[in-house]
């Protein structure tokens, strides 16, 4: 079992839809949970990170972490064509100098005008 | 300035060439990273520098040689690469190694080995 599982998609939605992206994980030591957006041929851009369980909101984006289920989600409200990109979840432990990012495989989202 | 700048953006090199990738950040970050990303795959960690010292080498072949001349610069020297080394090479930085959850990535160097 991989440490982080992410549905590879692809996912296609109409403009204005609510998008739900999810990852599951097996390592209970993960404490930080990140979502990156990566446009084609560009570097990943950090959208937000969450520490431990709970929700975090930034504009149209909401990240949720459920540590009891080892499940994280990113919701995008009122999706726009400019949201079309690959979304990567990533996780890290909180053990100081041994922290590494463990990525999911990424899911490609297409928002149709 | 919240940018990680990588040069060049594109590089084509032969298998006998020697070339270098450059990464620069002016955010005062003390941890810097090299990642390799193949098409439709997530980034894979290659090296971690913490306070200008090499802290992690993820069993990367010696044809990749990192260098951290100062706290703002990170280089990746390339020599005798193979076609399978063609990929997007990403540099990232964070305030400290323990703060990797807030890592900023550069736009990458797209490397083609012919």
């Amino acid at each position: 079992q991989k440490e982080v599982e992410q549905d590879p998609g692809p996912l296609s939605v109409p403009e204005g839809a609510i998008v739900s992206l999810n990852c599951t994980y097996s390592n209970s030591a993960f404490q930080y949970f990140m979502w990156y957006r990566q446009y084609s041929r560009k570097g990943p851009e950090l959208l937000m990170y969450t520490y431990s369980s709970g929700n975090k909101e930034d504009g149209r984006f909401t990240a949720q972490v459920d540590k009891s289920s080892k499940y994280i989600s990113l919701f995008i409200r009122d999706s726009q064509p400019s949201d079309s990109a690959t979304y990567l979840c990533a996780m890290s432990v909180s053990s100081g100098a041994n922290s590494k990012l463990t990525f999911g495989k990424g899911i490609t989202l297409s928002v149709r005008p | 300035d919240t940018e990680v700048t990588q040069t060049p953006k594109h590089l084509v090199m032969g298998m006998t060439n020697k070339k270098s990738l450059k990464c620069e950040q002016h955010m005062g970050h003390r941890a810097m990273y090299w990642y390799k990303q193949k098409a439709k795959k997530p980034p894979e960690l290659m090296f971690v520098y913490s306070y200008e010292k090499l802290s992690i080498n993820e069993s990367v072949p010696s044809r990749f040689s990192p260098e951290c001349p100062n706290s703002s610069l990170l280089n990746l020297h390339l020599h005798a690469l193979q076609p399978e080394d063609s990929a997007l090479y990403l540099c990232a930085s964070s305030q400290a190694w323990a703060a990797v959850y807030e890592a900023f990535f550069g736009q990458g160097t797209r490397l083609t080995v012919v």
Side-chain angles (χ1 to χ4, degrees):
Chain A
Q1 182 186 11
K2 289 191 183 298
E3 277 196 296
V4 179
E5 301 271 10
Q6 182 176 10
D7 182 352
L11 181 63
S12 179
V13 301
E15 184 174 353
I18 296 175
V19 176
S20 172
L21 307 176
N22 311 297
C23 289
T24 59
Y25 63 95
S26 58
N27 186 350
S28 57
F30 286 138
Q31 292 276 48
Y32 289 91
F33 304 91
M34 285 67 73
W35 285 98
Y36 284 87
R37 177 176 63 195
Q38 186 171 21
Y39 291 112
S40 181
R41 298 180 172 270
K42 301 289 186 184
E45 172 194 3
L46 178 64
L47 290 174
M48 61 177 68
Y49 75 87
T50 308
Y51 175 69
S52 194
S53 282
N55 294 358
K56 192 170 186 177
E57 188 173 320
D58 184 1
R60 295 184 295 108
F61 298 88
T62 300
Q64 284 186 355
V65 174
D66 181 348
K67 290 195 75 179
S68 62
S69 302
K70 296 191 175 69
Y71 189 89
I72 72 170
S73 301
L74 178 71
F75 297 96
I76 307 174
R77 290 185 299 281
D78 186 25
S79 56
Q80 303 294 309
S82 58
D83 296 327
S84 298
T86 296
Y87 290 80
L88 295 147
C89 65
M91 305 178 189
S92 70
V93 300
S94 178
S95 64
N98 290 319
S99 302
K100 294 183 190 180
L101 293 178
T102 302
F103 285 94
K105 285 191 172 184
I107 184 168
T108 299
L109 170 67
S110 175
V111 181
R112 308 185 302 272
Chain B
D1 184 1
T2 56
E3 275 195 4
V4 175
T5 303
Q6 290 188 243
T7 54
K9 289 187 169 44
H10 302 275
L11 179 63
V12 179
M13 62 184 289
M15 288 190 282
T16 58
N17 290 160
K18 284 186 182 180
K19 296 285 185 185
S20 296
L21 309 184
K22 182 179 170 184
C23 173
E24 196 166 2
Q25 56 87 15
H26 296 288
M27 294 178 278
H29 288 176
R30 301 312 298 269
M32 296 186 77
Y33 314 84
W34 281 114
Y35 285 82
K36 173 183 176 179
Q37 187 177 27
K38 301 281 271 185
K40 299 191 184 304
K41 300 284 187 186
E44 295 175 15
L45 182 65
M46 300 174 73
F47 303 104
V48 177
Y49 271 84
S50 179
Y51 288 86
E52 296 97 70
K53 287 190 175 11
L54 182 62
S55 302
I56 286 185
N57 175 339
E58 291 286 55
S59 304
V60 178
S62 59
R63 57 187 185 267
F64 295 91
S65 174
E67 178 197 18
C68 190
N70 60 55
S71 61
S72 300
L73 279 175
L74 186 66
N75 299 320
L76 186 63
H77 302 297
L78 313 173
H79 173 55
L81 294 194
Q82 304 297 309
E84 59 265 29
D85 296 321
S86 298
L88 181 67
Y89 287 84
L90 295 161
C91 175
S93 71
S94 62
Q95 197 141 16
W97 191 1
V100 69
Y101 51 85
E102 278 191 296
F104 287 83
F105 281 82
Q107 294 302 291
T109 294
R110 187 158 298 279
L111 174 68
T112 304
V113 181
V114 297

